[in-house]
Amino acid sequence: MLNSTWQKSSYSGSNSDCVEVRAADRLVELRESDEGDVIVRTTPLKFAAFLQAAKAGEFDHLTTTP
């Protein structure tokens, strides 16, 4: 997997505060656009599992207030 440019979700629109993702050196890298020096790296399989869990609502409880 070759290094690629950072991509952000189309849902972000013109907002500069978003999560960006790219493929680099056989890994998936994630960062917040406003904190570009903090990068999280994971494998494509783990990233796919995370996305599936997020789509299934497994993390919804983290975004609600009690």
Side-chain angles (χ1 to χ4, degrees), residues 5-6 10 16 20 23-27 33 36-37 40 42 50 55-56 58 63 65:
T5 58
W6 291 102
S10 59
S16 63
E20 298 175 316
D25 300 322
R26 291 186 247 162
L27 294 173
S33 58
D37 57 330
V40 175
T42 190
F50 169 78
K55 289 178 183 179
E58 290 187 34
T63 62
T65 55

PDB file of all heavy atoms in Angstrom, residues 5-6 10 16 20 23-27 33 36-37 40 42 50 55-56 58 63 65:
ATOM      1  N   THR A   5      -2.762  10.601   0.344  1.00  0.00           N
ATOM      2  CA  THR A   5      -3.082  11.871   0.978  1.00  0.00           C
ATOM      3  C   THR A   5      -4.198  11.674   2.001  1.00  0.00           C
ATOM      4  O   THR A   5      -4.945  10.702   1.949  1.00  0.00           O
ATOM      5  CB  THR A   5      -3.541  12.901  -0.074  1.00  0.00           C
ATOM      6  OG1 THR A   5      -4.670  12.368  -0.771  1.00  0.00           O
ATOM      7  CG2 THR A   5      -2.427  13.194  -1.056  1.00  0.00           C
ATOM      8  N   TRP A   6      -4.291  12.586   2.924  1.00  0.00           N
ATOM      9  CA  TRP A   6      -5.334  12.542   3.944  1.00  0.00           C
ATOM     10  C   TRP A   6      -6.676  12.802   3.293  1.00  0.00           C
ATOM     11  O   TRP A   6      -6.798  13.665   2.430  1.00  0.00           O
ATOM     12  CB  TRP A   6      -5.075  13.584   5.028  1.00  0.00           C
ATOM     13  CG  TRP A   6      -3.890  13.272   5.875  1.00  0.00           C
ATOM     14  CD1 TRP A   6      -2.652  13.837   5.798  1.00  0.00           C
ATOM     15  CD2 TRP A   6      -3.825  12.314   6.935  1.00  0.00           C
ATOM     16  NE1 TRP A   6      -1.823  13.290   6.752  1.00  0.00           N
ATOM     17  CE2 TRP A   6      -2.520  12.353   7.459  1.00  0.00           C
ATOM     18  CE3 TRP A   6      -4.748  11.432   7.501  1.00  0.00           C
ATOM     19  CZ2 TRP A   6      -2.107  11.552   8.515  1.00  0.00           C
ATOM     20  CZ3 TRP A   6      -4.334  10.622   8.555  1.00  0.00           C
ATOM     21  CH2 TRP A   6      -3.033  10.683   9.051  1.00  0.00           C
ATOM     22  N   SER A  10     -17.120  13.192   3.502  1.00  0.00           N
ATOM     23  CA  SER A  10     -17.918  14.167   2.766  1.00  0.00           C
ATOM     24  C   SER A  10     -18.948  14.821   3.680  1.00  0.00           C
ATOM     25  O   SER A  10     -19.452  15.894   3.388  1.00  0.00           O
ATOM     26  CB  SER A  10     -18.607  13.496   1.577  1.00  0.00           C
ATOM     27  OG  SER A  10     -19.446  12.441   2.029  1.00  0.00           O
ATOM     28  N   SER A  16     -13.527  22.512   9.253  1.00  0.00           N
ATOM     29  CA  SER A  16     -12.121  22.104   9.359  1.00  0.00           C
ATOM     30  C   SER A  16     -11.867  21.169  10.530  1.00  0.00           C
ATOM     31  O   SER A  16     -10.788  20.611  10.653  1.00  0.00           O
ATOM     32  CB  SER A  16     -11.219  23.328   9.469  1.00  0.00           C
ATOM     33  OG  SER A  16     -11.527  24.031  10.650  1.00  0.00           O
ATOM     34  N   GLU A  20      -9.597  12.699   9.756  1.00  0.00           N
ATOM     35  CA  GLU A  20      -9.041  12.395   8.437  1.00  0.00           C
ATOM     36  C   GLU A  20      -8.416  11.000   8.467  1.00  0.00           C
ATOM     37  O   GLU A  20      -7.960  10.546   9.515  1.00  0.00           O
ATOM     38  CB  GLU A  20      -7.975  13.429   8.061  1.00  0.00           C
ATOM     39  CG  GLU A  20      -8.526  14.827   7.959  1.00  0.00           C
ATOM     40  CD  GLU A  20      -7.447  15.861   7.712  1.00  0.00           C
ATOM     41  OE1 GLU A  20      -6.381  15.788   8.366  1.00  0.00           O
ATOM     42  OE2 GLU A  20      -7.666  16.738   6.880  1.00  0.00           O
ATOM     43  N   ALA A  23      -4.219   5.683   3.930  1.00  0.00           N
ATOM     44  CA  ALA A  23      -3.483   4.419   3.926  1.00  0.00           C
ATOM     45  C   ALA A  23      -2.003   4.751   3.783  1.00  0.00           C
ATOM     46  O   ALA A  23      -1.629   5.567   2.942  1.00  0.00           O
ATOM     47  CB  ALA A  23      -3.936   3.546   2.768  1.00  0.00           C
ATOM     48  N   ALA A  24      -1.189   4.133   4.643  1.00  0.00           N
ATOM     49  CA  ALA A  24       0.251   4.407   4.600  1.00  0.00           C
ATOM     50  C   ALA A  24       1.021   3.197   5.110  1.00  0.00           C
ATOM     51  O   ALA A  24       0.766   2.729   6.226  1.00  0.00           O
ATOM     52  CB  ALA A  24       0.591   5.636   5.432  1.00  0.00           C
ATOM     53  N   ASP A  25       1.913   2.692   4.296  1.00  0.00           N
ATOM     54  CA  ASP A  25       2.794   1.596   4.704  1.00  0.00           C
ATOM     55  C   ASP A  25       2.032   0.407   5.298  1.00  0.00           C
ATOM     56  O   ASP A  25       2.323  -0.059   6.390  1.00  0.00           O
ATOM     57  CB  ASP A  25       3.847   2.098   5.705  1.00  0.00           C
ATOM     58  CG  ASP A  25       4.705   3.200   5.112  1.00  0.00           C
ATOM     59  OD1 ASP A  25       5.027   3.118   3.915  1.00  0.00           O
ATOM     60  OD2 ASP A  25       5.043   4.141   5.848  1.00  0.00           O
ATOM     61  N   ARG A  26       1.010  -0.050   4.601  1.00  0.00           N
ATOM     62  CA  ARG A  26       0.192  -1.207   4.985  1.00  0.00           C
ATOM     63  C   ARG A  26      -0.606  -1.000   6.262  1.00  0.00           C
ATOM     64  O   ARG A  26      -1.035  -1.949   6.900  1.00  0.00           O
ATOM     65  CB  ARG A  26       1.032  -2.479   5.069  1.00  0.00           C
ATOM     66  CG  ARG A  26       1.516  -2.942   3.701  1.00  0.00           C
ATOM     67  CD  ARG A  26       2.207  -4.256   3.833  1.00  0.00           C
ATOM     68  NE  ARG A  26       3.596  -4.017   3.533  1.00  0.00           N
ATOM     69  CZ  ARG A  26       4.583  -4.800   3.853  1.00  0.00           C
ATOM     70  NH1 ARG A  26       4.369  -5.896   4.505  1.00  0.00           N
ATOM     71  NH2 ARG A  26       5.814  -4.513   3.541  1.00  0.00           N
ATOM     72  N   LEU A  27      -0.765   0.247   6.672  1.00  0.00           N
ATOM     73  CA  LEU A  27      -1.568   0.578   7.844  1.00  0.00           C
ATOM     74  C   LEU A  27      -2.610   1.626   7.469  1.00  0.00           C
ATOM     75  O   LEU A  27      -2.520   2.261   6.421  1.00  0.00           O
ATOM     76  CB  LEU A  27      -0.684   1.134   8.964  1.00  0.00           C
ATOM     77  CG  LEU A  27       0.312   0.166   9.582  1.00  0.00           C
ATOM     78  CD1 LEU A  27       1.220   0.903  10.558  1.00  0.00           C
ATOM     79  CD2 LEU A  27      -0.406  -0.969  10.282  1.00  0.00           C
ATOM     80  N   SER A  33      -8.184  16.807  12.162  1.00  0.00           N
ATOM     81  CA  SER A  33      -7.598  17.840  11.310  1.00  0.00           C
ATOM     82  C   SER A  33      -7.001  18.996  12.113  1.00  0.00           C
ATOM     83  O   SER A  33      -6.012  19.589  11.692  1.00  0.00           O
ATOM     84  CB  SER A  33      -8.639  18.387  10.332  1.00  0.00           C
ATOM     85  OG  SER A  33      -9.741  18.917  11.040  1.00  0.00           O
ATOM     86  N   GLY A  36      -3.141  17.708  13.912  1.00  0.00           N
ATOM     87  CA  GLY A  36      -2.491  16.901  12.887  1.00  0.00           C
ATOM     88  C   GLY A  36      -1.255  16.145  13.316  1.00  0.00           C
ATOM     89  O   GLY A  36      -0.843  15.196  12.646  1.00  0.00           O
ATOM     90  N   ASP A  37      -0.654  16.520  14.435  1.00  0.00           N
ATOM     91  CA  ASP A  37       0.560  15.831  14.863  1.00  0.00           C
ATOM     92  C   ASP A  37       0.254  14.580  15.680  1.00  0.00           C
ATOM     93  O   ASP A  37       1.149  13.792  15.962  1.00  0.00           O
ATOM     94  CB  ASP A  37       1.474  16.767  15.648  1.00  0.00           C
ATOM     95  CG  ASP A  37       0.801  17.379  16.865  1.00  0.00           C
ATOM     96  OD1 ASP A  37      -0.430  17.566  16.819  1.00  0.00           O
ATOM     97  OD2 ASP A  37       1.501  17.684  17.839  1.00  0.00           O
ATOM     98  N   VAL A  40      -3.164   8.137  14.925  1.00  0.00           N
ATOM     99  CA  VAL A  40      -3.457   6.784  15.391  1.00  0.00           C
ATOM    100  C   VAL A  40      -3.262   5.842  14.209  1.00  0.00           C
ATOM    101  O   VAL A  40      -3.776   6.092  13.115  1.00  0.00           O
ATOM    102  CB  VAL A  40      -4.910   6.681  15.910  1.00  0.00           C
ATOM    103  CG1 VAL A  40      -5.247   5.258  16.285  1.00  0.00           C
ATOM    104  CG2 VAL A  40      -5.108   7.615  17.085  1.00  0.00           C
ATOM    105  N   THR A  42      -3.443   1.774  12.742  1.00  0.00           N
ATOM    106  CA  THR A  42      -4.015   0.455  12.963  1.00  0.00           C
ATOM    107  C   THR A  42      -3.974  -0.336  11.666  1.00  0.00           C
ATOM    108  O   THR A  42      -3.633   0.199  10.614  1.00  0.00           O
ATOM    109  CB  THR A  42      -5.460   0.567  13.506  1.00  0.00           C
ATOM    110  OG1 THR A  42      -5.914  -0.711  13.920  1.00  0.00           O
ATOM    111  CG2 THR A  42      -6.411   1.131  12.458  1.00  0.00           C
ATOM    112  N   PHE A  50     -13.725  -1.763  13.400  1.00  0.00           N
ATOM    113  CA  PHE A  50     -14.158  -0.557  14.099  1.00  0.00           C
ATOM    114  C   PHE A  50     -15.305   0.115  13.351  1.00  0.00           C
ATOM    115  O   PHE A  50     -16.309   0.508  13.946  1.00  0.00           O
ATOM    116  CB  PHE A  50     -12.992   0.417  14.270  1.00  0.00           C
ATOM    117  CG  PHE A  50     -13.418   1.774  14.751  1.00  0.00           C
ATOM    118  CD1 PHE A  50     -13.727   1.970  16.080  1.00  0.00           C
ATOM    119  CD2 PHE A  50     -13.525   2.835  13.873  1.00  0.00           C
ATOM    120  CE1 PHE A  50     -14.142   3.219  16.533  1.00  0.00           C
ATOM    121  CE2 PHE A  50     -13.938   4.079  14.306  1.00  0.00           C
ATOM    122  CZ  PHE A  50     -14.246   4.271  15.642  1.00  0.00           C
ATOM    123  N   LYS A  55     -21.020   1.570  12.850  1.00  0.00           N
ATOM    124  CA  LYS A  55     -22.263   1.542  12.072  1.00  0.00           C
ATOM    125  C   LYS A  55     -23.361   0.776  12.802  1.00  0.00           C
ATOM    126  O   LYS A  55     -24.537   1.104  12.673  1.00  0.00           O
ATOM    127  CB  LYS A  55     -22.018   0.917  10.704  1.00  0.00           C
ATOM    128  CG  LYS A  55     -21.212   1.800   9.774  1.00  0.00           C
ATOM    129  CD  LYS A  55     -20.974   1.100   8.447  1.00  0.00           C
ATOM    130  CE  LYS A  55     -20.109   1.925   7.535  1.00  0.00           C
ATOM    131  NZ  LYS A  55     -19.857   1.241   6.247  1.00  0.00           N
ATOM    132  N   ALA A  56     -22.992  -0.213  13.578  1.00  0.00           N
ATOM    133  CA  ALA A  56     -23.966  -1.022  14.317  1.00  0.00           C
ATOM    134  C   ALA A  56     -24.412  -0.339  15.614  1.00  0.00           C
ATOM    135  O   ALA A  56     -25.270  -0.859  16.315  1.00  0.00           O
ATOM    136  CB  ALA A  56     -23.376  -2.396  14.628  1.00  0.00           C
ATOM    137  N   GLU A  58     -22.482   0.371  18.333  1.00  0.00           N
ATOM    138  CA  GLU A  58     -21.823  -0.104  19.554  1.00  0.00           C
ATOM    139  C   GLU A  58     -21.211   1.007  20.399  1.00  0.00           C
ATOM    140  O   GLU A  58     -20.938   0.801  21.577  1.00  0.00           O
ATOM    141  CB  GLU A  58     -20.750  -1.137  19.200  1.00  0.00           C
ATOM    142  CG  GLU A  58     -21.331  -2.453  18.715  1.00  0.00           C
ATOM    143  CD  GLU A  58     -20.272  -3.521  18.527  1.00  0.00           C
ATOM    144  OE1 GLU A  58     -19.292  -3.544  19.295  1.00  0.00           O
ATOM    145  OE2 GLU A  58     -20.432  -4.329  17.593  1.00  0.00           O
ATOM    146  N   THR A  63     -21.803   8.924  23.175  1.00  0.00           N
ATOM    147  CA  THR A  63     -22.160  10.244  22.667  1.00  0.00           C
ATOM    148  C   THR A  63     -23.409  10.808  23.332  1.00  0.00           C
ATOM    149  O   THR A  63     -23.828  11.898  22.979  1.00  0.00           O
ATOM    150  CB  THR A  63     -22.375  10.196  21.149  1.00  0.00           C
ATOM    151  OG1 THR A  63     -23.458   9.303  20.858  1.00  0.00           O
ATOM    152  CG2 THR A  63     -21.114   9.750  20.427  1.00  0.00           C
ATOM    153  N   THR A  65     -25.539  11.932  26.911  1.00  0.00           N
ATOM    154  CA  THR A  65     -25.316  12.356  28.293  1.00  0.00           C
ATOM    155  C   THR A  65     -26.349  11.670  29.193  1.00  0.00           C
ATOM    156  O   THR A  65     -27.495  11.494  28.792  1.00  0.00           O
ATOM    157  CB  THR A  65     -25.435  13.880  28.425  1.00  0.00           C
ATOM    158  OG1 THR A  65     -26.687  14.290  27.915  1.00  0.00           O
ATOM    159  CG2 THR A  65     -24.320  14.573  27.696  1.00  0.00           C
TER     160      THR A  65
END
